[in-house]
Amino acid sequence: MAPEHTPSSSGSGGVELGRFLRARRTRTSPERAGFTVGAGLRRTPGLRREEVATLAGISIDYYVRLERGKETRPSPSVLDALARALHLDDQEHHHLRELAARAARYAPAPPPAPGRTVRPHLRLLLEAMRPHPAYVISRSMELLAWNPGGLALYAGLDDWPATRRNLARYLFLHPAARDLFPDWDKQVRGCVSRLRAIAGTAPDAPDLGNLVGELLLKSPDFAGLWERYEVTGRKPALKTFQHPRVGTVTLTCQTMHLEDTPSQRLGVYTAEPGTPDHDALLLLDMTEPRTAPRPPEKDREQAGELS
């Protein structure tokens, strides 16, 4: 695994900004940018550095310093010009601004990982949502709390101990995930885009660094998508599962940030009562989760399970 790929390896605030610019430059076609490409082969994928500089109206030396992480205070007008030159959409443009803001105020001390504690009233809310599958996840997609359907919907996830239940880890490393999602390729692209967007503005966060490092080592699919540095990924309202227990089921998906706990999100899947999809949820709600093997006591202490 190349160290430059992990979120926690940035040596300065401008490094992640440079990575993003480089990734978007190599994925912007010269034709889209208005350049005429001759018959000869271009050794550089996408745009050359000097082409981006020209389109943005800045010097080549200044742009090179941006990509190398040596320039950490680009002005808002320069950022807007770069966004136009690289044809960034609104979400990518916003991410570019966030990276620049972080570069300007960079502090080398890594921030603490968000807490894993789920407040009691949220657990009551999960229970009240039955039979609709619901769960609380962390910003790194770690499953923190769930109702029966929220766990059973992800077929085979209860094979893993609670400390390893992470939806990103499930998508890439669990053998049941590819069969569960008929559009697995789309699901994993959205997953990596969300992690990339968060890691870009918090590259030293240990919860993200540990997860990304594991997936880079164990999943070539993840590594390839991570390298693309896409941060645009909207979650579809409808999601279809090919579940081994209840068959094909299509559900409406909704996620939301929790008040006073910005690092946690509530996810809920719903179906209209009286429909076959809702009947499937009733069956899933009655699923008794299998008891997964618990990790050794030392691992549980590191995960914060033991006091």
Side-chain angles (χ1 to χ4, degrees), residues 154-231:
Y154 291 88
L157 185 55
D158 59 354
D159 293 338
W160 287 352
T163 53
R164 283 193 53 77
R165 291 173 186 167
N166 178 290
L167 298 187
R169 182 182 288 119
Y170 175 84
L171 278 172
F172 285 98
L173 301 184
H174 200 290
R178 289 177 185 262
D179 294 329
L180 183 65
F181 295 102
D183 59 345
W184 181 85
D185 291 340
K186 183 177 180 180
Q187 294 294 328
V188 295
R189 285 189 64 179
C191 169
V192 176
S193 294
R194 288 191 292 277
L195 289 177
R196 245 317 185 181
I198 298 169
T201 53
D204 299 313
D207 57 323
L208 294 166
N210 292 339
L211 174 67
V212 171
E214 176 188 358
L215 294 179
L216 284 171
L217 282 172
K218 297 180 179 179
S219 172
D221 293 306
F222 180 88
L225 290 171
W226 188 258
E227 186 67 25
R228 292 169 65 93
Y229 210 136
E230 293 179 349
V231 296

Side-chain angles (χ1 to χ4, degrees), residues 36 44 50 62 101 113 120 139 178 183 218 267 273 298:
T36 301
T44 303
E50 57 267 28
Y62 185 80
R139 65 179 181 181
R178 289 177 185 262
D183 59 345
K218 297 180 179 179
K298 181 180 178 182

Side-chain angles (χ1 to χ4, degrees), residues 11-281:
S12 72
V15 169
E16 197 65 27
L17 174 63
R19 284 183 188 152
F20 182 64
L21 288 172
R22 184 165 57 253
R24 301 330 298 162
R25 172 174 63 82
T26 58
R27 296 191 59 76
T28 302
S29 70
E31 294 85 357
R32 187 181 184 193
F35 291 102
T36 301
V37 180
L41 293 176
R42 291 170 61 98
R43 292 192 300 175
T44 303
L47 295 177
R48 300 185 178 100
R49 290 186 178 91
E50 57 267 28
E51 291 171 337
V52 176
T54 299
L55 289 170
I58 59 178
S59 71
I60 296 174
D61 178 68
Y62 185 80
Y63 180 76
V64 170
R65 287 177 59 80
L66 280 171
E67 272 205 9
R68 291 179 177 174
K70 296 181 178 180
E71 175 57 57
T72 60
R73 295 183 180 274
S75 68
S77 61
V78 167
L79 295 175
D80 292 344
L82 288 170
R84 289 192 296 271
L86 297 172
H87 294 271
L88 304 186
D89 62 23
D90 291 344
Q91 193 171 346
E92 291 167 332
H93 193 172
H94 177 72
H95 186 69
L96 179 66
R97 292 195 191 104
E98 286 189 325
L99 291 177
R102 182 186 180 278
R105 64 175 185 271
Y106 181 76
R116 293 167 44 90
T117 302
V118 176
R119 289 173 289 171
H121 77 271
L122 291 175
R123 295 184 183 275
L124 291 175
L125 180 61
L126 294 177
E127 184 67 18
M129 288 180 172
R130 298 177 63 178
H132 298 289
Y135 50 77
V136 175
I137 57 173
S138 71
R139 65 179 181 181
S140 58
M141 305 181 73
E142 181 181 9
L143 207 61
L144 302 177
W146 54 86
N147 63 18
L151 182 61
L153 184 61
Y154 291 88
L157 185 55
D158 59 354
D159 293 338
W160 287 352
T163 53
R164 283 193 53 77
R165 291 173 186 167
N166 178 290
L167 298 187
R169 182 182 288 119
Y170 175 84
L171 278 172
F172 285 98
L173 301 184
H174 200 290
R178 289 177 185 262
D179 294 329
L180 183 65
F181 295 102
D183 59 345
W184 181 85
D185 291 340
K186 183 177 180 180
Q187 294 294 328
V188 295
R189 285 189 64 179
C191 169
V192 176
S193 294
R194 288 191 292 277
L195 289 177
R196 245 317 185 181
I198 298 169
T201 53
D204 299 313
D207 57 323
L208 294 166
N210 292 339
L211 174 67
V212 171
E214 176 188 358
L215 294 179
L216 284 171
L217 282 172
K218 297 180 179 179
S219 172
D221 293 306
F222 180 88
L225 290 171
W226 188 258
E227 186 67 25
R228 292 169 65 93
Y229 210 136
E230 293 179 349
V231 296
T232 301
R234 293 174 176 81
K235 198 169 185 178
L238 294 178
K239 186 178 289 190
T240 298
F241 299 80
Q242 291 179 338
H243 201 280
R245 185 161 183 262
V246 298
T248 301
V249 55
T250 299
L251 305 172
T252 300
C253 175
Q254 178 66 55
T255 61
M256 61 205 81
H257 289 285
L258 295 171
E259 187 177 7
D260 298 327
T261 315
S263 63
Q264 295 180 3
R265 288 184 297 152
L266 173 68
V268 186
Y269 290 97
T270 58
E272 287 289 335
T275 64
D277 292 325
H278 191 267
D279 292 342
L281 295 186

